[in-house]
Amino acid sequence: MTVHVKMAAIQWHSRERDYSEELESCSLEKIPVEFGDYHPLKTITVTESKTKKLGRKESTSSTSSSCSSNSVADPLSSVLDGTDPLSLFAATAETVAATTEVSRKKRDQEEYIGSDFEPWSSKRGEILARYTTTEKLSINLFMGSDRGKTTTPGSAVSEKVRTRLEELDDLEEGSQKELLNLTQQDYISRIEELNQSLKDAWASDQKVKALKIVIQCSKLLSDTSVIKFYPSKFVLITDILDTFGKLVYERILSMCMDNKTALPANFTPDNVNDTAKETCLNWFYKIASIRELVPRFYVEAAILKCNKYLSKTGISESLPRLTSMIKGIGDPLVSVYARAYLCRVGMEVAPHIKENLNQNFFDFLLTFKQIHSDTVQNQLAVQAVEIPIYLTLYSPAIDWMLRCIAYRAPDSLLTEMMERCKKLGNNALLLNSVMSAFRAEFIAARSMSFIGMIKECDEAGFPKHLLFRSLGLNLALADPPENDRLQILNEAWKVITKLKVPEDYINCAEVWVEYTCRHFTKREVNTILADVIKHMTPDRAFEEAYPQLQSVITKVIAHFHDFSVLFSVEKFLPFMDMFQKESVRVEVCKCIMEAFIKHQQEVTKDPVILNALLHVCKTMHDSVNALSLEDEKRTLAHLINGFIRLVSFGRDFEQQLSFYVEARALFCNLEPVLVQLIHSVNLLAMETKKVMKGNHSRKTASFVRACVAFCFITIPSLTSIFTRLNLYLHSGQVALANQCLSQADAFFRAAVSLVPEVPKTINIDGKMRSSEAFLLEFLSNLFSTLLVVPDHPEQGVLFLVRGLLNVIENYTWEDNSDDKVRIYTSVLHLLAALSQESYLYHIDKVDSNDNLYGGDTKFLAEINKLCDTLIGQILEHLKVLGKEKTLKRQSSLALLFFNTILAHGDLRNNKLNQLAVNLWNLAQKHGYADTKTMVKTLEYIKKRSKQSDSSHLGDLANRLPLQSRT
């Protein structure tokens, strides 16, 4: 089928619209409701009745739901048989809860370690990072043995024992290779290789080889030749021991599975079969054959949990024996870490046996004086290690033992521990560990007692400033008695301020700043900041302490939410000046702005806050350069925008505009900030209109024009073309609302002239997408605004619409795109609305074209002429689609154009009526039209034909056939 009407003969006629009548006809029907009888949340009563199932051609079932007069039928209730699935679930949950309550209580009684216990894994990284060395290390690697095995006659038992001993003796018969002069990183890599070799040997069923690797690694814990690295070595080796213990335990557990049934969680030795028990005993016998004490202790401790397979009391009996074994270790450092490992294993397998943990620590206290023995002193002299450094090597082990003991321990036990530490001479090391391990509340309540103990400590053995630092860490978590707070600060700061080494000083000061902020005023905080500046400024010591200084700032900001108080702290900004490294300074500024945006509840105009934060934001802005990442720019812009939104001078609009002008000059390199400023200035103009109730005085009119000028000058500096387009439109709307007609025209002309520059593709979230959909959306918004824009007296009729049509005509659209025609149909909607006697909406105090022209025939003729041109363009495009056989697109556009004519055209005109019929037929011609859409459209036409002013649509409906796809 072809379009029968010639293009030149078609003339557009817009139908007259009564918008108020149309709105009323489309509104929902209002029904009076007695609220006493009905409420939407009231319970629904459903009665369901079913009939017997009949033949296929008859009704298969009938279900009627009759509701009481005070309820509304619920379509979902009919399938629930009167039950609620959530209620069923709740009932089931109650039943399950009842059956599991007993088992839950039993499990809770057996639960000794909760989530509040800090596991060893949390300490691992800290120890590896802290205890490092630049000295060369050595290690013995297991190489395996190629020695041939010969069998000799004898009993099976003696042969088995002999084989075990020979296998273990392999370590002493050329099966090791010593690697010397390893760096710390090489050493760690070798240890990781041993760990992997252990797993590989186990996976290949070479259990004895795996044991040899573990024994070899355990022997390394006897070596203190590089003593400063020992804590890190302990962490690395015990990782291997943990792996071995887990492998052995899981191996025996797998042997206990009878008929693929696993052991219950709380199994007893009675549940374990004989094969598994024999294997378990075999492991313990092998370990008992190890000759050296240290590896024998560590390997047995690693598989301590396996005692569960043999005896109910196996673990409780083994722990005291292993504790006694440690007494045979002569080196106090090796000994204390062995005790720490036993505590660690004990907390995992038997946390309820606290007596052994306590005894382990008490034994350590009895041997504490060995630390100062001649043997140790000689060893330190050889390695050139000073006593304070040496004592810090004990901290991880002692801290861990005390942490295990203090976990959920009564205050009486903690007090006893503290008293025992007091009785030892030069107990600074123990005192530090006590403060690190015990509950913060316990320490804080006895703060003055601890200060007294710190004063009595010998400065030479363990520096007092480290003790005060540990005390400060506790006071940051728990509050001391109120009457003691000032005295505590004075006593601590007397010691801290005398420190000469900047590193020692700032490490302590950083901790005590939080205590000061928590309990004192800005006066005391200012004193602390001044002291920090005094200590860290000489020789630019602050350059080596940026993390600590940053921590100080963070703590101060966290406690001072009132920024007027914060910036009135005299030394706060001078403190900020110490951050002279740009990256650190920017991070600090970001921290300040995040806190301001989070805690500033109300807008502010405080000049102190504004000046300080403008300086902070300027620092962030100036860090942006060509190499800055987009994410970083977005983050900085977000923070600066948050600040701008929180600045308000109330009714002083001129001061507000001056602030925005200053901000534009300061933050010109961040595009999102400029966008925010434009929106803020537009909002300011609308606030002015609201205050004046739409009746501008000479002064406010001038001010609004200044706002409009700000936006007009700023928008061209943006790089995103769609951002510019939308801001031109938005700013033009604001100008129009404030009766700035010439300025509004300038905005709209700028938007129209920018359309040709729109690129074919734009970047959306890192992907290149076609820009036509965004352009279509923008133009639709622009058309809606142009309806109320009055014509310029010197530019002719509809000069903006004509200019826009020229731009659209010359724009290079994508191949296989129909967006140009879709825009033309939108322009037809606009032109039809422009031809009405009274427009759908208006701008207050702005005369639109309906008032200017008053339905003038020349004006209407110009509109119809434009419509005729657009119709010709649309029909030409439909013909091209038919020739190119793109019939689906042709069908879609034909239906779109038909609906445009139906909604906006006067179908009493015969030619327009015939064009509509042709478009309807064209849409269905090749079977691409959606049948449901066509049916609903036809139903709508018939419904409208029943209206008094649309009876002619009845004839049209009779001429519109519905065709099947076939």
Side-chain angles (χ1 to χ4, degrees), residues 290-490:
I290 300 173
R291 295 170 181 171
E292 295 184 28
L293 175 59
V294 171
R296 185 165 73 248
F297 162 79
Y298 273 107
V299 179
E300 183 174 352
I303 67 166
L304 181 65
K305 189 177 180 181
C306 294
N307 279 286
K308 290 173 65 176
Y309 297 115
L310 302 175
S311 169
K312 290 181 180 179
T313 59
I315 293 176
S316 59
E317 291 171 356
S318 297
L319 281 171
R321 180 173 53 80
L322 289 170
T323 302
S324 299
M325 285 173 64
I326 298 174
K327 295 177 182 178
I329 300 176
D331 190 308
L333 186 63
V334 177
S335 172
V336 74
Y337 275 94
R339 295 184 188 279
Y341 187 67
L342 187 59
C343 285
R344 178 174 146 196
V345 174
M347 285 297 286
E348 291 176 2
V349 301
H352 55 286
I353 308 179
K354 283 294 186 74
E355 298 80 5
N356 184 73
L357 293 174
N358 300 341
Q359 187 60 47
N360 194 6
F361 185 72
F362 292 152
D363 287 350
F364 164 70
L365 292 181
L366 292 174
T367 60
F368 183 68
K369 292 183 179 180
Q370 289 182 348
I371 291 176
H372 304 284
S373 66
D374 293 339
T375 306
V376 173
Q377 297 297 329
N378 294 336
Q379 184 183 21
L380 298 182
V382 171
Q383 298 192 38
V385 176
E386 297 178 357
I387 280 289
I389 300 295
Y390 176 67
L391 291 179
T392 59
L393 302 179
Y394 285 80
S395 294
I398 300 175
D399 289 355
W400 180 256
M401 284 193 287
L402 285 170
R403 194 175 298 277
C404 294
I405 292 169
Y407 181 67
R408 294 185 179 177
D411 283 1
S412 57
L413 176 62
L414 302 183
T415 304
E416 180 188 354
M417 288 287 180
M418 199 170 77
E419 291 301 323
R420 291 205 180 201
C421 292
K422 272 185 183 180
K423 293 176 182 178
L424 293 171
N426 191 20
N427 59 353
L429 174 62
L430 291 176
L431 186 59
N432 188 65
S433 293
V434 165
M435 289 190 290
S436 300
F438 283 15
R439 292 191 299 272
E441 295 80 9
F442 179 88
I443 304 296
R446 298 162 178 78
S447 297
M448 292 307 300
S449 298
F450 277 98
I451 286 177
M453 294 168 63
I454 292 171
K455 286 181 176 180
E456 295 173 4
C457 288
D458 182 7
E459 182 76 23
F462 197 92
K464 285 185 181 179
H465 66 85
L466 294 181
L467 299 176
F468 275 107
R469 186 178 190 278
S470 297
L471 179 61
L473 289 171
N474 282 283
L475 297 180
L477 299 173
D479 298 334
E482 189 171 353
N483 296 334
D484 296 338
R485 290 174 183 174
L486 183 58
Q487 187 179 356
I488 291 169
L489 179 61
N490 288 333

Side-chain angles (χ1 to χ4, degrees), residues 34-53:
E34 295 292 336
F35 286 100
D37 297 331
Y38 167 73
H39 189 278
L41 299 182
K42 198 167 185 178
T43 307
I44 297 172
T45 305
V46 179
T47 306
E48 184 177 28
S49 62
K50 296 183 179 180
T51 62
K52 186 176 179 181
K53 191 172 182 181

Side-chain angles (χ1 to χ4, degrees), residues 447-735:
S447 297
M448 292 307 300
S449 298
F450 277 98
I451 286 177
M453 294 168 63
I454 292 171
K455 286 181 176 180
E456 295 173 4
C457 288
D458 182 7
E459 182 76 23
F462 197 92
K464 285 185 181 179
H465 66 85
L466 294 181
L467 299 176
F468 275 107
R469 186 178 190 278
S470 297
L471 179 61
L473 289 171
N474 282 283
L475 297 180
L477 299 173
D479 298 334
E482 189 171 353
N483 296 334
D484 296 338
R485 290 174 183 174
L486 183 58
Q487 187 179 356
I488 291 169
L489 179 61
N490 288 333
E491 292 290 345
W493 208 256
K494 283 178 188 176
V495 175
I496 296 170
T497 195
K498 291 178 182 178
L499 295 173
K500 302 299 182 184
V501 180
E503 182 182 359
D504 294 341
Y505 171 82
I506 194 60
N507 284 334
C508 283
E510 170 203 356
V511 172
W512 282 89
V513 162
E514 183 161 3
Y515 173 78
T516 309
C517 293
R518 280 167 65 97
H519 302 299
F520 300 98
T521 64
K522 69 174 186 178
R523 176 173 168 271
E524 288 78 9
V525 173
N526 188 62
T527 303
I528 298 293
L529 294 181
D531 196 60
V532 174
I533 294 171
K534 177 183 174 183
H535 279 78
M536 302 306 294
T537 303
D539 300 324
R540 301 178 68 86
F542 54 79
E543 292 182 345
E544 304 298 326
Y546 282 138
Q548 294 90 334
L549 294 174
Q550 195 171 346
S551 175
V552 170
I553 283 287
T554 303
K555 290 169 181 175
V556 172
I557 294 171
H559 289 88
F560 283 85
H561 296 166
D562 187 343
F563 276 72
S564 60
V565 174
L566 176 64
F567 290 122
S568 66
V569 175
E570 183 183 350
K571 295 297 180 180
F572 182 77
L573 291 178
F575 189 95
M576 288 280 296
D577 291 338
M578 287 195 292
F579 295 100
Q580 296 189 11
K581 186 178 179 181
E582 185 181 64
S583 60
V584 179
R585 187 167 67 249
V586 170
E587 286 301 316
V588 172
C589 291
K590 286 164 66 175
C591 181
I592 293 172
M593 294 311 303
E594 286 169 359
F596 178 76
I597 293 170
K598 179 179 179 181
H599 299 298
Q600 186 70 24
Q601 300 297 325
E602 299 177 352
V603 293
T604 183
K605 61 178 181 179
D606 188 323
V608 175
I609 295 178
L610 297 188
N611 289 333
L613 291 184
L614 276 174
H615 173 71
V616 169
C617 291
K618 182 70 166 64
T619 300
M620 295 193 300
H621 169 270
D622 291 348
S623 69
V624 175
N625 54 45
L627 300 178
S628 299
L629 299 175
E630 288 301 319
D631 284 347
E632 178 69 9
K633 291 181 183 178
R634 270 194 296 270
T635 300
L636 297 179
H638 170 74
L639 295 173
I640 296 174
N641 286 344
F643 163 61
I644 290 172
R645 285 192 291 266
L646 285 169
V647 175
S648 174
F649 291 88
R651 290 290 184 91
D652 192 349
F653 293 152
E654 291 185 353
Q655 184 66 31
Q656 188 80 36
L657 181 59
S658 297
F659 170 78
Y660 291 144
V661 172
E662 182 182 3
R664 180 179 64 184
L666 292 175
F667 312 128
C668 57
N669 290 331
L670 287 173
E671 189 162 308
V673 178
L674 296 179
V675 172
Q676 174 63 46
L677 288 171
I678 293 168
H679 284 307
S680 297
V681 171
N682 280 328
L683 181 62
L684 186 62
M686 296 307 293
E687 285 288 331
T688 307
K689 176 178 182 289
K690 181 179 179 181
V691 169
M692 299 303 294
K693 298 181 180 178
N695 299 310
H696 282 299
S697 65
R698 179 177 298 178
K699 183 177 181 180
T700 59
S702 176
F703 174 76
V704 167
R705 285 194 291 273
C707 293
V708 170
F710 175 98
C711 298
F712 193 78
I713 293 169
T714 309
I715 292 173
S717 63
L718 305 177
T719 57
S720 171
I721 196 159
F722 277 103
T723 302
R724 277 189 280 163
L725 284 171
N726 288 316
L727 286 174
Y728 275 133
L729 176 58
H730 183 211
S731 301
Q733 292 167 343
V734 170

Side-chain angles (χ1 to χ4, degrees), residues 783-832:
F783 295 151
S784 300
T785 304
L786 292 181
L787 173 64
V788 293
V789 177
D791 281 342
H792 195 286
E794 299 176 2
Q795 298 292 338
V797 177
L798 301 179
F799 75 101
L800 283 174
V801 177
R802 291 177 183 275
L804 187 56
L805 284 173
N806 290 333
V807 167
I808 294 169
E809 175 66 27
N810 296 326
Y811 186 80
T812 305
W813 301 90
E814 285 187 9
D815 297 335
N816 304 320
S817 170
D818 300 319
D819 286 336
K820 182 177 179 180
V821 172
R822 296 181 189 278
I823 290 173
Y824 282 159
T825 57
S826 296
V827 177
L828 282 176
H829 302 166
L830 169 63
L831 293 173

Side-chain angles (χ1 to χ4, degrees), residues 246-303:
K246 183 180 179 182
L247 290 172
V248 173
Y249 184 84
E250 291 177 350
R251 164 67 175 160
I252 299 172
L253 183 65
S254 66
M255 298 175 69
C256 298
M257 294 179 63
D258 294 327
N259 300 322
K260 296 185 179 180
T261 303
L263 285 176
N266 297 315
F267 68 88
T268 64
D270 297 335
N271 303 123
V272 181
N273 58 47
D274 292 340
T275 304
K277 285 183 178 179
E278 184 181 354
T279 303
C280 186
L281 279 170
N282 187 31
W283 278 110
F284 281 109
Y285 290 153
K286 283 182 178 180
I287 292 167
S289 303
I290 300 173
R291 295 170 181 171
E292 295 184 28
L293 175 59
V294 171
R296 185 165 73 248
F297 162 79
Y298 273 107
V299 179
E300 183 174 352
I303 67 166

